[in-house]
Amino acid sequence: MTPSILRIATRKSALALWQAEHVAAELRAAHPGLTVEMVPMTTRGDEIQDRSLATVGGKGLFLKELEIAMQEGRADLAVHSLKDVPAELEPGFVLPAVLPRADAADAFISNDYADLAALPLGARVGTSSLRRQALLRGLRPDLNLLDLRGNVGTRLGKLDAGHYDAIVLACAGLERLGLAERIRGRLAAPDWLPAPGQAAIAIEARSDQPATLALLAALDDEHTRMAVDAERAMNQALGGSCTVPVGAWCVVTERGLHLSGMVGDVASGRLLRAEAEGHSDQAETLGRQVAEALFAQGAAAFLGGH
Ligand SMILES: NCc1[nH]cc(CCC(=O)O)c1CC(=O)O
């Protein structure tokens, strides 16, 4: 039977709430008469602010509590930033919809400098993302890279307090929070690659709820889905871990899919890059192909220990 109400499990950060409200509005528009409610909750990932995610168990920390709520029937769906969703989902869960992607570029943010090139020698740049660290090392080996955790507002506050000369955040998150004026420059392909799935909002639900899945599937965007399938397949073929700096960016054209991938090494600043084109119905094959091309260049040494 078609449900008349859907409850959305969401984290409580401003960005998570914006994204959940956005999905709620889209669901109400797609299904007039449907009631949509919020179930805000705190996850382990939100509580741990002092250690890097890579050291405490990875991205799944942001999903666990939301999945338990769905398992126990307290919520029907969860809304995530797709880049925070592990390559492999917990058994019994699927992603019935990926919403149209926003700007997938990263943002260079500084109160004193216009772009990366303008930063003085040894400038302090804040980011705890291994991908962003590896890219910064590769492009500007002289920079002093410093950890920076917390939600978007917290990170901007630490920049404004003078702890950093610049920080890097996702353009999509800043735009959603009405903070686009903080973006000094876009860090984008081909030099800079986003995280797999960056700027796409994903809906997660139980695989054993077909009527709910049918309602949620109305929000799926075909082009975004193809692109992020390719990016996530590449990440998974590389080991799918957030303890390794991986970037991926897939463009959908009339000719098909164009996927660019990168694996980095924070210590050495070395970056391996590969790209390939494929048919739009072959996203996963394309992802594996680019991963193979990275392995052929020696990516395994960068993925050591995984
Ligand atoms: N890891 C936190 C996170 N997860 C998703 C986004 C941005 C929004 C998106 O990529 O969809 C952010 C903030 C950031 O990286 O600046």
Side-chain angles (χ1 to χ4, degrees):
M1 213 183 67
T2 301
S4 57
I5 173 168
L6 291 177
R7 294 154 302 167
I8 304 182
T10 173
R11 297 166 50 203
K12 290 180 194 160
S13 73
L15 180 59
L17 286 171
W18 187 96
Q19 294 179 166
E21 290 291 355
H22 176 69
V23 166
E26 294 288 310
L27 282 171
R28 291 182 193 113
H31 308 293
L34 180 72
T35 300
V36 186
E37 288 177 358
M38 292 296 151
V39 185
M41 48 212 316
T42 304
T43 69
R44 286 261 296 141
D46 298 303
E47 281 167 359
I48 301 169
Q49 296 289 327
D50 52 339
R51 284 160 285 169
S52 113
L53 281 188
T55 62
V56 293
K59 297 183 173 180
L61 287 181
F62 288 115
L63 276 72
K64 193 86 200 147
E65 279 82 359
L66 309 183
E67 288 171 344
I68 292 170
M70 289 188 277
Q71 236 147 15
E72 293 180 348
R74 287 180 281 121
D76 305 292
L77 62 142
V79 174
H80 307 294
S81 295
L82 183 56
K83 79 165 179 178
D84 296 332
V85 176
E88 206 154 353
L89 291 179
E90 287 297 320
F93 291 99
V94 289
L95 301 179
V98 176
L99 276 66
R101 197 172 213 176
D103 184 353
D106 275 334
F108 176 86
I109 306 161
S110 172
N111 293 318
D112 304 308
Y113 304 100
D115 55 30
L116 209 50
L119 284 175
L121 215 66
R124 301 158 303 155
V125 182
T127 175
S128 290
S129 146
L130 295 176
R131 173 185 58 86
R132 289 169 179 156
Q133 288 177 4
L135 280 159
L136 290 165
R137 271 262 174 283
L139 299 172
R140 280 287 305 264
D142 61 289
L143 294 177
N144 180 12
L145 303 184
L146 301 170
D147 270 331
L148 173 59
R149 281 218 54 205
N151 59 41
V152 173
T154 307
R155 295 189 215 186
L156 289 169
K158 289 179 183 172
L159 170 73
D160 294 341
H163 299 311
Y164 309 94
D165 296 303
I167 64 173
V168 180
L169 290 171
C171 285
L174 292 163
E175 281 164 10
R176 287 174 188 146
L177 294 173
L179 294 168
E181 79 276 3
R182 300 297 305 253
I183 304 173
R184 294 293 294 268
R186 291 173 76 255
L187 302 166
D191 290 345
W192 188 282
L193 295 186
Q198 184 160 322
I201 296 170
I203 299 178
E204 183 185 25
R206 277 165 57 163
S207 57
D208 63 353
Q209 304 291 320
T212 297
L213 295 177
L215 289 178
L216 299 176
L219 269 49
D220 192 50
D221 181 69
E222 194 191 0
H223 278 197
T224 303
R225 170 73 73 162
M226 291 190 286
V228 301
D229 277 355
E231 293 164 14
R232 287 170 58 77
M234 187 204 86
N235 192 31
Q236 186 158 18
L238 288 169
S241 154
C242 73
T243 60
V244 169
V246 170
W249 174 234
C250 184
V251 179
V252 184
T253 71
E254 275 148 38
R255 297 204 317 281
L257 306 177
H258 185 117
L259 175 63
S260 305
M262 159 232 127
V263 179
D265 183 51
V266 179
S268 69
R270 277 189 66 209
L271 299 171
L272 303 178
R273 298 173 184 272
E275 52 189 287
E277 292 193 359
H279 285 290
S280 52
D281 57 352
Q282 298 282 310
E284 278 156 36
T285 308
L286 180 63
R288 284 195 296 271
Q289 199 182 324
V290 173
E292 284 309 317
L294 291 167
F295 278 125
Q297 292 178 48
F302 291 41
L303 309 170
H306 301 278

